[in-house]
Amino acid sequence: MIDGHAHLNEIKDIDASILRAASSGVSAIIGVGMDIESNRATLEIAGRFPGIVYPAVGYHPWSIAAHETEENLAFIEDRLPSCVALGEVGIDYRTKVKKKVQWEVYGRLISVAHEADKPVIIHCRFSHAHTYEMTASAGIERAVFHWFTGERAVLTRLLDSGYLISVTPALAYSPFHREAAAFAPLESIMVETDAPVQYEGKISEPADLIVTLRELARIKGISVEEAARVTEKNTRSFYRLS
Ligand SMILES: [Zn+2]
């Protein structure tokens, strides 16, 4: 099974955490970045765990600052070709950065991904419809709407466009998240932890991927093995892992 989204640079004692993940059956982890510093750290971790950690570079809406934008974009443009994806990027309507600024940065980022033929890992909190519109009209072919909790109408359209959603351990308690997981076909779902995000007060790590899989299996009425098998296949094909 593959953890499709983790902030490895934020995990304490990352080596031990990756070992625990491996012994719980996690064969690979996609490490995502949010700004130059976390992108660099993620690339460094990926370099130490070849074939296990695959890096993505991004510029998170929470990280956007006018005086750093050009530098972040240049860094991503330079490093993206050697990464598996652009991410984490997106639009967040509950953060302080102005909408107009977020739209402009997101638009530029996805055009870099389009140019490099890389998939996009999207943070779309309270911005699902607009984020979908921008992604689709930029001609992006591979996109994952991370931790999707949006409305059914947007979900239907993004699935029709061939995009995926990802699910997290929040499946255990978030009604909107559960609803999306129930509606989307299993072939359109990837599993992740978003580690080290806390779920009900507990700090997560990639080894907790099994929690996500158990919840997904329960929602779908299938075995954990089947959920693991199909979502791993989805993830390998989305990120073009061998
Ligand atoms: Zn994240």
Side-chain angles (χ1 to χ4, degrees):
M1 53 196 191
I2 300 173
D3 186 346
H5 182 131
H7 298 264
L8 298 178
N9 65 295
E10 295 176 26
I11 293 176
K12 286 199 190 98
D13 198 355
I14 182 63
D15 293 44
S17 179
I18 288 173
L19 279 177
R20 277 194 296 277
S23 52
S24 79
V26 175
S27 55
I29 305 165
I30 310 301
V32 301
M34 298 178 62
D35 55 17
I36 291 181
E37 198 190 331
S38 57
N39 286 331
R40 273 195 212 286
T42 304
L43 288 164
E44 186 271 323
I45 295 165
R48 288 195 293 114
F49 294 94
I52 297 171
V53 174
Y54 294 92
V57 284
Y59 192 29
H60 198 285
W62 301 348
S63 307
I64 296 172
H67 65 288
E68 292 168 358
T69 298
E70 294 310 321
E71 204 188 341
N72 271 275
L73 280 154
F75 183 93
I76 288 170
E77 216 169 334
D78 183 46
R79 304 302 179 90
L80 188 58
S82 58
C83 293
V84 295
L86 171 72
E88 181 170 355
V89 297
I91 299 170
D92 189 325
Y93 286 168
R94 291 285 166 93
T95 195
K96 281 183 193 146
V97 182
K98 288 203 174 74
K99 283 183 184 178
K100 231 184 103 185
V101 173
Q102 293 191 50
W103 296 338
E104 197 208 314
V105 171
Y106 182 65
R108 289 179 63 190
L109 285 164
I110 55 178
S111 84
V112 172
H114 190 252
E115 196 68 29
D117 190 24
K118 296 289 177 178
V120 185
I121 303 166
I122 305 168
H123 172 103
C124 49
R125 195 168 65 142
F126 299 107
S127 66
H128 304 98
H130 196 103
T131 312
Y132 165 74
E133 295 295 344
M134 281 189 71
T135 309
S137 53
I140 299 295
E141 285 176 11
R142 285 178 292 154
V144 57
F145 289 73
H146 146 74
W147 196 335
F148 189 84
T149 55
E151 53 273 42
R152 175 72 59 87
V154 179
L155 180 54
T156 305
R157 290 167 70 205
L158 76 84
L159 293 170
D160 284 348
S161 301
Y163 298 151
L164 278 73
I165 62 165
S166 66
V167 295
T168 71
L171 279 184
Y173 57 83
S174 162
F176 293 118
H177 198 34
R178 293 176 68 92
E179 211 179 296
F183 182 77
L186 189 59
E187 289 66 30
S188 302
I189 298 176
M190 293 198 283
V191 289
E192 55 152 297
T193 60
D194 204 13
V197 161
Q198 290 192 25
Y199 299 95
E200 296 184 309
K202 188 188 167 288
I203 294 172
S204 62
E205 60 171 357
D208 296 323
L209 191 62
I210 192 68
V211 177
T212 311
L213 274 166
R214 270 193 215 121
E215 292 299 328
L216 180 63
R218 210 193 318 265
I219 290 166
K220 292 296 192 193
I222 56 174
S223 67
V224 175
E225 291 71 25
E226 179 69 356
R229 189 185 64 78
V230 177
T231 55
E232 172 161 353
K233 189 165 166 255
N234 302 341
T235 307
R236 286 198 181 278
S237 132
F238 181 82
Y239 291 111
R240 297 194 178 148
L241 310 181
S242 51

